[in-house]
Amino acid sequence: MKMTRRALLGAAITIGFAAAAGHTSLALADKPLTIGFSQVGAESEWRTANTVSIKDAAKQAGVNLKFADAQQKQENQVKAIRSFIAQKVDVIAFSPVVESGWDTVLREAKAAKIPVILTDRAVNVSDKSLYVTFIGSDFVEEGRRAARWLLERAKTLPAGDINIVELQGTVGSAPAIDRKSGFEQEIKANPNLKIIRSQTGDFTRAKGKEVMEAFLKADGKKINVLYAHNDDMAIGAIQAIEEAGLKPGKDILVISIDGVKGAFEAMMAGKLNVTVECSPLLGPQLMSIARDVKAGKPVPKRITTEEGVFPAEVAAKEFPNRKY
Ligand code: AHR
């Protein structure tokens, strides 16, 4: 269809007005921002909520999102990042499955002049200029918060040893490393608190149940407390505790991290004692930081998510407010 000169002039004026009014989503004046995002996988309720948050926020912001699910494998994330580089995306964002082993691929992104934003989990690289910023929780503090709840609760327990079993997250991942260290630092304040077993449950319900079964077989009634690095593993372990004829939340205190709806349901059923919040709702922040980065604006190197602690006593009241 041919346009008359008058129609062409009209269209040009409309575009000009839209741009001046800041209607960037019209995408007539601006090319949409393209972000390549590599997600860890779909191992937990938390992760599913995180994926939804990122996809929804991209849609709302008019961002062209190239999403890749790594199925918990670092090699898949490296492949995805290389493919984003080849596609010349504007920004690469990813939640690294493990902390180390990123130097080479991040150097490739830097050489291609594509800025990298870390979300949720950190990387361990010697050159911090390989990424622009890291948006996510303070996992060490989450571990400390879990321990502080236990230190308080321990004051009400009979004198003597308090035996803890720990379900760790994915081996080598930032949340597993940091939640372990934060918890260990803090429980030193009470020498009766003893971690008698600690093993990975890979952040999944199935693995959490399986490992808890093994803990129960080995130590049974000696176990007083379960500390799980995420709610999913705690929920799996709760099943194992019940199948062993014990009462989770009473015979064995259950402490976990994330604050997903499943944890609130378990607390309302009296089976989980406390969950330390870790927010997966990082999508809107990621989109706005990515825009700033692309526009060359300075951004903070670390953006820490604000979070709370939810003991079972407040679960019923808080449940209707939960977004994930
Ligand atoms: O990195 C965040 C952690 O990863 C969440 O605690 C856990 O549920 C997820 O799988």
Side-chain angles (χ1 to χ4, degrees), residues 139-151:
F139 295 139
V140 177
E141 181 56 24
E142 288 172 354
R144 289 195 198 112
R145 286 177 179 164
R148 280 184 211 127
W149 180 89
L150 181 58
L151 286 168

Side-chain angles (χ1 to χ4, degrees), residues 43-44 46-47 120-121 139 175 179 203 229-230 258 278:
E43 73 283 4
S44 62
W46 188 100
R47 188 64 55 196
D120 160 38
R121 297 182 180 180
F139 295 139
R179 288 171 183 169
F203 283 130
H229 289 189
N230 83 343
D258 276 355
C278 174

Side-chain angles (χ1 to χ4, degrees), residues 24-35:
T24 45
S25 61
L26 283 180
L28 286 168
D30 266 338
K31 194 172 137 266
L33 183 75
T34 298
I35 302 181

Side-chain angles (χ1 to χ4, degrees), residues 40 42-47 72 95-96 119-121 137 139 142 170 173-176 179 202-204 229-233 257-258 260 278:
V40 169
E43 73 283 4
S44 62
E45 208 177 316
W46 188 100
R47 188 64 55 196
Q72 295 251 63
S95 173
T119 72
D120 160 38
R121 297 182 180 180
S137 309
F139 295 139
E142 288 172 354
T170 303
S173 70
R179 288 171 183 169
D202 214 9
F203 283 130
T204 69
H229 289 189
N230 83 343
D231 290 337
D232 280 75
M233 291 189 293
I257 297 180
D258 276 355
V260 297
C278 174

Side-chain angles (χ1 to χ4, degrees), residues 33-37 66 80-94 105-118 129-133 290 293-294:
L33 183 75
T34 298
I35 302 181
F37 184 84
K66 294 182 182 295
I81 294 170
R82 289 202 167 119
S83 130
F84 297 149
I85 297 172
Q87 293 173 68
K88 298 187 169 49
V89 299
D90 296 310
V91 174
I92 292 173
F94 76 117
V105 74
L106 292 187
R107 258 188 246 121
E108 291 168 24
K110 193 176 176 186
K113 297 195 169 40
I114 302 179
V116 172
I117 299 178
L118 304 175
S129 78
L130 292 177
Y131 65 90
V132 192
T133 182
V293 166
K294 184 62 190 162

